[in-house]
C-alpha cells in the first residue's frame, strides 16, 4: 500500500501538474481548465517577488483583534480529493463520474489510462469519506478499485512558530502567498500551541512560493525574531490503517510470520533475551531523543537570551545614535542661531550707520538751506531797501525839481554821502 501511495504521489506530480501521461484530462466547472489561467495576475512588467514584498509590507503593522476565520469547509477543496487506483483501461470518464456522483457532486477528474490511476474531487470531505469507505475494494469493470485520499501538494507545515500566534494571524500572514483553503495552529491535548501549524492553499504554486521565500529569507510573524520554518506537508491517510485485504498473502515471508500468533515470552528463553535487547534499544533511543530534546531546549533558551540581549544592545545603540543625532542637530541649530544673531547685529549696525549718515547729510543740507535762505533774505532785504531808496530819490527828484539842475544834483550827492548804512554804500 505504501508503494502504491508513493507511486500515486509521484504520478500525480508528473501528470496532473504538467508532466507526461497518456489520455488524462481534467473536467468540471470549478477549478477546471488550464491551471495557468487561474489566479489573479498583476502587471506583467513587475516581478512577482516585488508584488509579494508589497503585500507583506502592508501587513507589517499591528495585528491586534484580527477578524475570526470562516471555518466552514470550502466546496471542492483539496481535502476532498481522492486517488483512484487499479482503473480498467476501457473505463471512460463518464462512467467514473457516474460511479462517484451517487456520493455527491464531482469535479476535476483526471485519468491516466496508461498507468491505470486517476484523481477526482468531491464537493465535501464527508462525501469523499463516504465514497472512499464504500468504493474501496469494490469491483469496477472486473478490477478491484483502490480508493485513497490523494496527497495534497498544496499544503505546507509551518514550524518554529513564536508565542501568541493564532489561526487568524497565521492565515493573515500566509495569505500573502496565495488563496488559503484551511489554516490551523496545532495544539496539544491541553489546548496549548505546539509551535507548529498547517496551511492548505488552493494552488500548488502558492505553497511553492511560500516554501521558497521563507527558505531564502527570514519571515517573522510577530515582534519575536524567530523566523518560521516552512516545509511541504504530505498528509498521510491513517483512518483505515492497513487492512487484512491488502496483505501479500502469497508471499513466503507472510506465511512464515503468520505461523505463530500473539504470545508472551517465557522468562530466560531465547525469545525473552532478544525481546529485551529490542526493548533496550528502544529505551536507548528514547533516552537519546530526550537528551537531544533537552539540549535543543537549552539552546533555544540560550538563543532567546542572546536575542533579548542583542535586542537590548541594538535598541541602546539606536538610542545613542538618536541622542548623538539630536546633539548634532542642536549644535547645528545653535550655530545657525548664532550666525543669524551675528547677521542681525551686522544688519543693525549697518542700518544705524546708514541712518547716522543720512541724519548728517540731512543736517548738512538743512544748514546749507538755512544759509541759502539767509542769503536770499539778505538779498531780498537789500533789494527792498534799494527799491525804497530809489522811490525816495524819485520822490525827492519830483519834489525839488528846479530849473537849476546843478543844485539838485549836489543835494542828491550829499544825501547819498550821508547814508550811514554800509549796504547802501555797497549797493551804490
Amino acid at each position: 500500500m505504501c508503494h502504491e501511495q508513493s507511486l500515486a504521489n509521484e504520478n500525480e506530480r508528473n501528470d496532473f501538474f504538467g508532466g507526461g501521461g497518456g489520455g488524462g484530462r481534467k473536467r468540471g466547472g470549478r477549478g477546471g481548465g488550464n491551471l495557468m489561467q487561474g489566479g489573479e495576475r498583476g502587471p506583467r512588467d513587475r516581478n512577482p517577488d516585488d508584488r509579494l514584498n508589497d503585500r507583506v509590507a502592508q501587513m507589517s503593522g499591528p495585528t491586534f483583534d484580527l477578524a475570526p476565520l470562516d471555518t466552514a469547509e470550502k466546496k471542492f477543496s483539496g481535502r476532498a480529493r481522492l486517488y483512484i487506483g487499479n482503473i480498467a483501461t476501457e473505463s471512460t470518464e463518464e462512467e467514473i463520474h457516474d460511479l462517484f456522483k451517487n456520493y455527491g457532486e464531482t469535479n476535476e477528474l483526471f485519468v491516466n489510462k496508461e498507468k491505470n490511476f486517476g484523481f477526482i474531487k468531491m464537493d465535501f470531505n464527508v462525501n469523499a469519506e463516504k465514497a472512499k469507505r464504500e468504493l474501496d475494494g469494490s469491483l469496477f469493470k472486473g478490477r478491484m478499485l483502490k480508493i485513497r485520499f490523494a496527497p495534497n501538494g498544496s499544503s505546507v507545515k509551518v514550524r518554529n512558530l513564536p508565542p501568541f500566534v493564532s489561526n487568524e494571524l497565521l492565515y493573515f500572514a500566509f495569505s500573502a502567498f496565495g488563496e488559503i483553503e484551511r489554516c490551523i495552529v496545532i495544539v496539544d491535548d491541553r489546548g496549548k500551541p505546539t509551535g507548529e501549524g498547517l496551511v492548505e492553499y488552493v494552488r500548488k504554486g502558492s505553497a511553492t512560493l511560500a516554501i521558497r521565500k521563507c527558505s531564502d529569507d527570514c519571515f517573522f510573524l510577530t515582534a519575536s525574531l524567530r523566523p518560521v520554518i516552512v516545509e511541504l506537508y504530505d498528509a498521510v491517510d491513517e483512518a483505515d490503517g492497513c487492512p487484512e485485504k491488502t496483505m501479500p498473502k502469497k508471499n513466503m515471508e507472510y506465511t512464515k510470520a503468520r505461523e505463530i500468533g500473539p504470545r508472551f515470552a517465557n522468562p530466560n528463553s531465547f525469545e525473552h533475551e532478544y525481546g529485551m535487547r529490542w526493548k533496550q534499544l528502544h529505551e536507548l533511543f528514547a533516552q537519546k531523543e530526550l537528551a537531544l530534546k533537552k539540549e535543543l531546549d537549552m539552546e533555544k533558551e540560550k538563543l532567546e537570551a542572546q536575542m533579548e540581549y542583542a535586542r537590548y544592545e541594538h535598541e541602546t545603540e539606536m538610542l545613542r545614535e538618536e541622542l548623538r543625532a539630536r546633539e548634532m542637530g542642536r549644535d547645528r541649530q545653535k550655530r545657525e542661531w548664532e550666525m543669524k544673531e551675528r547677521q542681525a547685529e551686522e544688519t543693525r549696525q549697518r542700518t544705524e550707520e546708514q541712518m547716522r549718515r543720512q541724519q548728517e547729510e540731512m543736517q548738512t543740507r538743512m544748514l546749507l538751506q538755512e544759509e541759502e535762505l539767509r542769503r536770499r533774505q539778505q538779498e531780498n532785504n537789500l533789494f527792498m531797501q534799494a527799491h525804497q531808496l530809489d522811490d525816495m530819490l524819485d520822490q525827492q527828484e519830483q519834489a525839488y525839481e528846479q530849473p537849476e539842475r546843478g543844485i539838485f544834483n549836489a543835494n542828491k550827492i550829499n544825501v547819498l554821502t550821508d547814508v550811514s548804512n554800509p549796504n547802501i554804500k555797497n549797493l551804490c
Side-chain angles (χ1 to χ4, degrees):
M1 182 186 69
C2 295
H3 173 72
E4 293 169 354
Q5 191 75 2
S6 301
L7 178 62
N9 190 8
E10 180 180 1
N11 291 334
E12 177 197 12
R13 293 176 182 176
N14 293 334
D15 298 314
F16 188 72
F17 294 105
R25 68 181 181 92
K26 299 187 293 295
R27 85 183 265 196
R30 181 184 176 92
N34 190 357
L35 283 177
M36 297 303 294
Q37 296 177 356
E40 297 179 357
R41 295 294 182 185
R44 293 182 179 274
D45 57 345
R46 293 200 63 195
N47 191 326
D49 288 351
D50 294 338
R51 295 195 295 271
L52 173 63
N53 293 333
D54 292 342
R55 291 194 296 269
V56 174
Q58 296 175 358
M59 299 178 175
S60 59
T63 56
F64 303 112
D65 300 328
L66 295 174
L69 291 180
D70 183 8
T71 57
E73 182 183 358
K74 295 183 179 180
K75 200 172 183 179
F76 299 110
S77 66
R79 301 180 66 239
R81 189 161 174 261
L82 296 174
Y83 161 79
I84 311 171
N86 201 24
I87 300 176
T89 306
E90 65 274 12
S91 300
T92 63
E93 294 185 1
E94 288 75 12
E95 292 174 342
I96 298 176
H97 269 292
D98 293 338
L99 180 65
F100 282 88
K101 72 179 183 181
N102 297 325
Y103 304 97
E105 298 181 33
T106 59
N107 197 356
E108 294 188 14
L109 175 61
F110 170 83
V111 178
N112 188 329
K113 293 186 178 181
E114 292 183 356
K115 299 181 180 180
N116 305 107
F117 76 93
F119 298 95
I120 191 171
K121 271 189 177 181
M122 303 298 296
D123 49 1
F124 297 106
N125 179 262
V126 62
N127 294 334
E129 285 275 4
K130 183 178 179 181
K132 171 181 172 294
R133 183 172 59 252
E134 295 184 8
L135 294 180
D136 184 32
S138 63
L139 289 176
F140 181 69
K141 294 287 185 178
R143 304 187 71 167
M144 184 179 295
L145 296 178
K146 298 178 181 179
I147 310 297
R148 298 287 184 272
F149 276 101
N152 192 356
S154 60
S155 297
V156 296
K157 188 171 187 178
V158 186
R159 297 190 294 108
N160 199 37
L161 288 176
F164 309 109
V165 175
S166 62
N167 297 338
E168 287 76 9
L169 178 55
L170 188 64
Y171 181 93
F172 176 72
F174 278 84
S175 61
F177 303 102
E179 184 180 357
I180 296 176
E181 286 185 348
R182 181 170 171 263
C183 181
I184 59 169
V185 174
I186 302 175
V187 297
D188 56 16
D189 53 354
R190 295 176 296 176
K192 182 179 179 181
T194 61
E196 296 181 350
L198 293 178
V199 180
E200 298 177 1
Y201 285 100
V202 175
R203 298 175 183 85
K204 184 179 180 182
S206 302
T208 304
L209 178 62
I211 294 173
R212 179 175 64 84
K213 291 296 293 182
C214 294
S215 299
D216 295 343
D217 302 327
C218 293
F219 189 42
F220 304 106
L221 303 189
T222 63
S224 174
L225 297 182
R226 292 174 58 177
V228 294
I229 309 299
V230 182
E231 302 171 344
L232 184 65
Y233 177 71
D234 289 331
V236 181
D237 184 11
E238 299 178 349
D240 295 337
C242 185
E244 181 69 20
K245 60 185 177 181
T246 61
M247 291 287 101
K249 297 183 179 181
K250 296 181 180 180
N251 194 323
M252 296 298 296
E253 295 294 332
Y254 170 82
T255 305
K256 182 178 179 181
R258 289 296 187 94
E259 287 180 349
I260 305 177
R263 65 200 179 279
F264 283 107
N266 295 322
N268 301 324
S269 65
F270 174 82
E271 292 179 343
H272 184 269
E273 178 182 356
Y274 279 89
M276 293 301 296
R277 288 188 181 182
W278 275 106
K279 293 178 68 175
Q280 291 172 2
L281 182 62
H282 281 278
E283 290 177 0
L284 179 62
F285 175 80
Q287 292 175 1
K288 290 187 176 181
E289 185 179 20
L290 180 60
L292 181 62
K293 185 177 179 180
K294 290 182 178 180
E295 183 179 357
L296 182 61
D297 292 338
M298 292 177 61
E299 290 295 329
K300 286 182 178 180
E301 293 178 357
K302 181 179 178 181
L303 184 59
E304 289 281 351
Q306 292 176 352
M307 181 179 66
E308 292 299 326
Y309 178 75
R311 185 198 296 273
Y312 172 77
E313 288 292 328
H314 176 72
E315 292 177 353
T316 304
E317 185 62 27
M318 292 295 292
L319 290 175
R320 290 173 182 170
E321 290 291 337
E322 183 179 358
L323 181 60
R324 284 194 289 267
R326 288 185 178 181
E327 290 178 351
M328 293 176 62
R330 185 181 60 186
D331 294 340
R332 182 173 61 254
Q333 191 175 15
K334 182 179 179 181
R335 290 193 298 268
E336 292 177 356
W337 286 346
E338 292 176 352
M339 184 179 297
K340 289 180 179 179
E341 288 179 356
R342 286 195 300 268
Q343 292 176 353
E345 182 66 20
E346 292 175 357
T347 304
R348 185 182 62 79
Q349 292 178 359
R350 286 196 300 269
T351 304
E352 290 179 354
E353 181 66 21
Q354 185 178 2
M355 291 179 64
R356 185 181 63 77
R357 291 178 181 177
Q358 291 177 355
Q359 290 177 357
E360 290 178 355
E361 292 177 356
M362 185 177 297
Q363 291 177 358
T364 303
R365 286 197 301 269
M366 291 177 64
L367 291 175
L368 293 175
Q369 290 177 357
E370 289 177 356
E371 292 178 358
E372 180 69 16
L373 182 62
R374 285 194 300 270
R375 186 182 64 80
R376 288 183 179 180
Q377 288 177 353
Q378 291 176 0
E379 290 179 354
N380 291 334
N381 292 332
L382 291 174
F383 179 78
M384 293 299 296
Q385 291 178 4
H387 184 67
Q388 292 176 359
L389 182 59
D390 288 339
D391 291 340
M392 291 173 61
L393 291 175
D394 291 340
Q395 291 176 0
Q396 288 179 3
E397 286 178 355
Q398 293 176 0
Y400 296 101
E401 187 175 8
Q402 297 295 331
E404 297 86 11
R405 304 292 296 182
I407 297 173
F408 176 79
N409 290 335
N411 292 330
K412 184 178 181 180
I413 293 171
N414 291 329
V415 172
L416 293 171
T417 304
D418 291 337
V419 176
S420 60
N421 192 340
N423 293 327
I424 298 177
K425 292 180 180 181
N426 293 332
L427 180 62
C428 292

